[in-house]
Amino acid sequence: MKLTTFLTLTAFGVSALSATSAAQAADIEGLQSQGFARIAIANEPPWTQVTADGKVSGAGPDVALAVLKKMGVEEIVASISEYGAMIPGLQAQRFDMVAAGLFIKPERCEAVAFSQPDLCDAESFMVKEGNPMGLKSFADIASSGAKVGVVGGGTEEKLAIEAGVDRANVIVVPDPQSGSKMLQDGRIDVYALPVLSISDLLKKAGEGSGLEMFAPVENTPIFCAGVAFRKEDSALRDAYDAVLAEMKENGEFAAIVEPYGYSAAAAMQTDRETLCGGPN
Ligand code: 6CS
């Protein structure tokens, strides 16, 4: 589904638009009168994607817009952000929501109010053909001294550090798409992203790229993402969840996510409380 929306490429995410609308957007009436919701995305297909003419889509924004439309909010305005800047930007009211495939994890549940899960995936490594360094886990990366590419502030960066990878070998890539180029150029030895993200990149790299995927990364769980709201906007989150639940029930949710490769069942078999390790 193509979304007619506008992409604000804000370096710091602060703009007159954000300043004027922030106060209004703490609740559903605020978003309805604003006419749109400001969302943070990463441009990491198929979770979030932006075409050359600025059209925003991807499973995350598509689900969010479908829910918002049923809540009387007809548009989304997306800003591209690093994962590590999404929660601070949300808390600073630069966005109304994060609809970027942000994984629901206990430490994030401390900072934001998550919707119920929408997009689930396993972790993967993009490696040179034949996986010459035999990298199957983050522990392998640590022990081999390999350089791993990660998106800034993302889950893979945290997994690498927790596995003992030397910080000098954890290379933050400037944007999700540039990691495969850095791998091809030998600037990194492995690129860590969810399976569907690496699948998309391999498809774009084409036959003969000399790259392949190893998945699932050993000793890593299936992660599930949700839409993130400010803690103080829990009423908005609850209203969003009520609509999302209806769409899960009547098949509309599956019709949006499954063409992108996501399993609707995987998202429906878990819940926010489980993923947060408690109420959120
Ligand atoms: O939420 C995260 O941390 C992860 N989510 C996605 C969709 N890609 C990478 C990122 O690390």
Side-chain angles (χ1 to χ4, degrees), residues 42 44 47-48 83-84 86 100-105 108 114 119 121 123 150-158 176 192-194 197 223-225 262:
E44 180 186 325
W47 308 77
T48 54
Y83 287 97
M86 290 177 182
L102 197 69
F103 291 157
I104 301 174
K105 300 190 291 182
R108 288 175 174 167
F114 272 109
L119 306 173
D121 200 0
E123 285 296 326
V150 294
V151 290
T155 295
E156 296 75 24
E157 182 177 17
K158 194 164 188 297
L193 273 179
S197 312
F223 287 102
C224 288
Y262 296 92

Side-chain angles (χ1 to χ4, degrees), residues 17 27-28 32 60 102 166 175 204 208 210 213 221 228 245 249 275 278-279:
L17 175 67
D27 57 25
I28 185 60
Q32 286 168 341
L102 197 69
D166 185 318
D175 59 73
K204 286 170 181 162
M213 176 185 347
E249 187 56 37
L275 296 165

Side-chain angles (χ1 to χ4, degrees), residues 134-200:
L135 303 172
K136 299 181 178 176
S137 66
F138 285 98
D140 288 345
I141 296 175
S143 58
S144 65
K147 286 186 173 17
V148 57
V150 294
V151 290
T155 295
E156 296 75 24
E157 182 177 17
K158 194 164 188 297
L159 290 170
I161 299 297
E162 287 171 349
V165 177
D166 185 318
R167 277 192 178 279
N169 290 338
V170 180
I171 313 298
V172 173
V173 300
D175 59 73
Q177 281 65 30
S178 54
S180 36
K181 180 89 179 57
M182 290 169 72
L183 180 61
Q184 263 169 330
D185 296 347
R187 288 157 56 199
I188 55 176
D189 304 301
V190 53
Y191 184 28
L193 273 179
V195 168
L196 287 170
S197 312
I198 296 292
S199 301
D200 182 83

Side-chain angles (χ1 to χ4, degrees), residues 175-250:
D175 59 73
Q177 281 65 30
S178 54
S180 36
K181 180 89 179 57
M182 290 169 72
L183 180 61
Q184 263 169 330
D185 296 347
R187 288 157 56 199
I188 55 176
D189 304 301
V190 53
Y191 184 28
L193 273 179
V195 168
L196 287 170
S197 312
I198 296 292
S199 301
D200 182 83
L201 290 170
L202 285 171
K203 220 178 296 161
K204 286 170 181 162
E207 290 299 311
S209 67
L211 304 174
E212 67 182 36
M213 176 185 347
F214 174 81
V217 173
E218 291 174 358
N219 307 319
T220 60
I222 298 276
F223 287 102
C224 288
V227 168
F229 297 84
R230 282 183 288 276
K231 280 272 188 198
E232 59 269 26
D233 294 345
S234 58
L236 175 61
R237 188 277 304 273
D238 294 346
Y240 181 95
D241 264 355
V243 174
L244 178 62
E246 282 167 20
M247 292 175 62
K248 285 180 174 180
E249 187 56 37
N250 68 18

Side-chain angles (χ1 to χ4, degrees), residues 10 40-43 79-87 95 100:
T10 46
I41 64 171
N43 194 13
S79 297
I80 292 181
S81 166
E82 253 198 10
Y83 287 97
M86 290 177 182
I87 290 178
F95 322 119

